[in-house]
Structures are given as C-alpha cells and as structure tokens.
Amino acid sequence: DGGITQSPKYLFRKEGQNVTLSCEQNLNHDAMYWYRQDPGQGLRLIYYSQIVNDFQKGDIAEGYSVSREKKESFPLTVTSAQKNPTAFYLCASSLVTGPSYNEQFFGPGTRLTVL
Amino acid sequence: GQQLNQSPQSMFIQEGEDVSMNCTSSSIFNTWLWYKQDPGEGPVLLIALYKAGELTSNGRLTAQFGITRKDSFLNISASIPSDVGIYFCAGLGAGNNRKLIWGLGTSLAVNP
C-alpha cells in the first residue's frame, strides 16, 4: 500500500539536543512538506521541497533544517536553536503536476517533547 | 502568515443532526481542500474543490467552492459518532508557491 510513514510516533529529547524526524513516502510524489501543529492551532509550514536537492523555507523555518537527497525521503532536524520545539510534527507529500497537484497527503505525525 | 477564517470554532451536536461549517478568505483562491483530523493522527483529505461554484459530495459530506472564490462550505448530513474530530479547510491562491493557507479548524463533538 502506498503512503507516508513518520517515525517515531513519540520522541523525547533533552533541551539543547538536536533531533531528526523521519519522513518517507512511496507515493512517487515530487513535493514534500513539513508542518508544525500546536494545541488549538492550525498547521504552520516549516519547509517544503518540490524536487530532489532543492527546498524552500516556509513560514516558521528558524531553528529547523531539512535535506532532500532522495525523492522518497525528507528528514527534518529540530536544532537547539528552536526556542520552543515541543509540538506535533506532520509530514505531507503531493504531486507537482496534474489536476490534483494541490492535494497534500499526510503522515501520522511525530509528537516531540523536549524536556 | 495568512490564515483563513474558519467557523464555528467548535460544535457539539446530537447524533443524526446535520452540520455546517465554513471558511472565508480576504483573497481569491483557486483551490479549496477540506481535511479531517482525529486526535494524535495526521489530517485526512475529505474533499478537493477546483472550480468556483463547484459542489462535490463524498458520502454524507458535501462541500462547495463559493462563487466569489473567497469562501467554501462543508456540510455533514446525519452525523454519527465517528464524525468526531477536527475539520480543517485549506486554500491555495493564485501563483505557484505551493503554500496552502490553513484555517484553525472546527472541533466537532457528537453525542450518541
């Protein structure tokens, strides 16, 4: 079955440590996205990538970094520079052409807690 | 960043009732998407709308792309307990920056 996987589901880290969240998709989508969700909030875009080896900052990129070395993978690193990293992180992917290219499909999310 | 105005913020209804929620924007959109999110899970796409005036159904769900291109509506008929969750609207304006604009969600509770 095609889909998006994120691992782990729950992640705990000490303050000051960098942590990398995994996102893999087998939908053959060119575009991938990272969002952050806080309680009672909508989704805020961190980074997105439309093609391998290229990515753009979203609305809240400070304190985060990404890489896109493979079409299937788009890992997100939460660095120690992120002031308030505890949140629910969602990865999504989409096509970049065709009638449904705006439709983003989401993984199950990773809940990061920084102690 | 820009956000959509989504209302109501929350709803508590009896099983079997119909539900309506809407999103409005100050700018014109070319695409409207409606998602449902269960607690602790990722959002699931319910309906996608691409044309002004378009009315699309998915089972008991019906969504419309407003004729002004600045709003969209989602209706759920004959609600059931599994409809519980948060419903988000998202829109995409002109241009090709691929950045969806999101509403803050409508939290739906259904009393069996």
Side-chain angles (χ1 to χ4, degrees):
Chain A
D1 287 335
I4 302 175
T5 57
Q6 293 185 243
S7 60
K9 182 68 174 175
Y10 299 95
L11 191 54
F12 295 88
R13 280 294 182 269
K14 291 183 178 179
E15 192 173 342
Q17 290 181 334
N18 290 356
V19 59
T20 297
L21 282 59
S22 167
C23 178
E24 304 277 333
Q25 55 96 3
N26 60 4
L27 299 169
N28 200 30
H29 286 170
D30 286 299
M32 296 186 74
Y33 313 80
W34 274 106
Y35 290 91
R36 170 182 173 137
Q37 187 176 33
D38 295 288
Q41 300 289 316
L43 279 66
R44 293 187 290 170
L45 183 64
I46 304 172
Y47 269 98
Y48 64 105
S49 167
Q50 298 186 63
I51 195 169
V52 174
N53 292 323
D54 189 44
F55 47 83
Q56 288 77 40
K57 292 182 179 180
D59 298 319
I60 56 165
E62 185 175 353
Y64 300 97
S65 66
V66 293
S67 62
R68 187 85 187 277
E69 297 177 1
K70 299 187 300 182
K71 184 177 182 177
E72 301 80 14
S73 179
F74 191 40
L76 173 75
T77 297
V78 184
T79 75
S80 56
Q82 168 52 234
K83 299 302 179 192
N84 187 18
T86 294
F88 190 48
Y89 290 88
L90 288 159
C91 178
S93 69
S94 73
L95 297 168
V96 296
T97 58
S100 60
Y101 77 96
N102 289 325
E103 297 170 19
Q104 295 183 14
F105 296 89
F106 285 83
T110 293
R111 185 166 299 279
L112 173 65
T113 302
V114 176
L115 306 172
Chain B
Q2 183 185 356
Q3 282 183 329
L4 299 175
N5 183 17
Q6 185 172 351
S7 64
Q9 186 175 6
S10 61
M11 303 180 74
F12 187 86
I13 62 171
Q14 294 294 121
E15 182 176 359
E17 289 184 356
D18 296 343
V19 172
S20 290
M21 59 191 78
N22 70 85
C23 277
T24 59
S25 168
S26 57
S27 55
I28 290 174
F29 280 179
N30 293 330
T31 300
W32 284 98
L33 305 173
W34 285 93
Y35 288 85
K36 179 186 182 228
Q37 185 177 29
D38 291 330
E41 299 295 330
V44 173
L45 181 63
L46 299 173
I47 293 178
L49 302 162
Y50 288 98
K51 291 183 186 177
E54 180 181 356
L55 187 70
T56 298
S57 293
N58 178 5
R60 292 177 296 104
L61 279 62
T62 302
Q64 185 163 24
F65 193 140
I67 197 70
T68 65
R69 296 172 65 191
K70 292 184 177 182
D71 56 8
S72 179
F73 305 85
L74 176 69
N75 296 318
I76 305 172
S77 63
S79 59
I80 59 178
S82 63
D83 290 333
V84 167
I86 301 178
Y87 293 79
F88 289 98
C89 61
L92 191 68
N96 192 29
N97 63 10
R98 312 205 61 77
K99 292 169 64 174
L100 288 176
I101 309 300
W102 291 84
L104 294 181
T106 294
S107 178
L108 178 64
V110 179
N111 190 27

